[in-house]
Amino acid sequence: GTRMWSYTTEAEALNDVLRLSQAMTYKAAITGLNLGGGKGVIIGDSRVDKTEALMRRYGRFIQNLNGSFITTEEVGTGPKDMEYIRMETKYVTGVPESMGGSGENSPVTAKGVFMGMKACVKELFGTDNLAGRTVAVQGTGHVGEHLVSLLRQENAKVYVSDINDERLRRVAKMYGAEVISNNNLFDIEFDVSIKIKKIMEK
């Protein structure tokens, strides 16, 4: 994936991308994928600095890597950005079928998190039924919103937090989740707490 974030320094960006790529390397290894663990970051505010020209230039950069790096969406990038990247390189996933892809990958990612949660709950409580369980979802972006939807369909009690207040309120209202501030998130006892890569870990 490629993350676009308002890093304060290049050193901060480098530290984050190395941390992210290390985690992806572990993920690939434990799932038996014959892939490495690359990540990319772009320094900038995705709400104001992101343009078609920027994404397409990034796509040309990826093309020059000749397949050693394949990207997709991450924090600060989305399906439309992948379409722009696809105009310049085939080494991108999460693009529409009309462009040779399989569509947005956020719903699939959310389903994987959801099934992992059910497996953990079954181990702890003897059943994977999430009805009545309290769940905290930190991050209501593409993946987080799909996860909240799945949890509410199973009648879990869902608390949500995010640094983007507008999106947070929209997701909470749409799915009947309860808003909680990031500062107060860990004051409540949850059955399950999930962080969806929105607030950078240090």
Side-chain angles (χ1 to χ4, degrees):
T2 295
R3 170 178 291 190
M4 187 167 184
W5 191 266
S6 299
Y7 299 101
T8 55
T9 65
E10 287 189 18
E12 184 183 35
L14 181 60
N15 179 67
D16 197 35
V17 76
L18 290 174
R19 181 183 62 81
L20 292 167
S21 59
Q22 181 185 50
M24 284 303 300
T25 301
Y26 291 149
K27 287 182 188 179
I30 64 173
T31 53
L33 293 176
N34 188 26
L35 296 168
K39 280 281 191 173
V41 298
I42 299 173
I43 300 174
D45 185 337
S46 62
R47 294 168 294 183
V48 295
D49 298 327
K50 190 168 55 175
T51 63
E52 176 182 345
L54 175 64
M55 290 296 105
R56 293 186 67 170
R57 180 65 188 89
Y58 182 62
R60 291 194 293 276
F61 171 76
I62 293 172
Q63 178 63 25
N64 288 336
L65 297 175
N66 297 315
S68 63
F69 178 66
I70 304 169
T71 198
T72 191
E73 61 186 276
E74 227 263 17
V75 173
T77 61
K80 191 63 180 176
D81 304 314
M82 300 308 110
E83 292 182 36
Y84 292 142
I85 292 170
R86 182 65 179 85
M87 292 176 183
E88 306 296 337
T89 182
K90 65 181 180 180
Y91 301 116
V92 58
T93 65
V95 296
E97 292 182 29
S98 61
M99 298 182 77
S102 57
E104 185 186 355
N105 54 25
S106 296
V108 179
T109 303
K111 186 65 177 285
V113 175
F114 179 71
M115 297 307 293
M117 292 170 62
K118 288 175 73 69
C120 291
V121 168
K122 185 173 182 179
E123 180 70 21
L124 288 171
F125 304 111
T127 174
D128 67 358
N129 191 341
L130 292 168
R133 298 289 178 197
T134 56
V135 181
V137 177
Q138 187 177 16
T140 54
H142 296 291
V143 175
E145 180 174 346
H146 287 295
L147 178 59
V148 170
S149 175
L150 290 169
L151 290 166
R152 292 297 295 131
Q153 288 174 39
E154 195 151 325
N155 293 317
K157 170 70 174 176
V158 180
Y159 292 85
V160 290
S161 69
D162 199 299
I163 58 175
N164 185 321
D165 192 62
E166 180 181 345
R167 182 172 56 225
L168 172 64
R169 302 287 171 183
R170 179 183 61 79
V171 169
K173 182 177 181 181
M174 183 178 297
Y175 300 103
E178 187 169 330
V179 171
I180 186 167
S181 73
N182 288 312
N183 292 334
N184 298 327
L185 187 63
F186 299 105
D187 293 337
I188 297 177
E189 188 172 329
F190 302 106
D191 292 314
V192 184
S193 180
I194 297 293
K195 180 184 225 177
I196 307 293
K197 295 190 298 187
K198 188 57 187 174
I199 297 179
M200 290 188 298
E201 299 164 274
K202 298 293 183 183

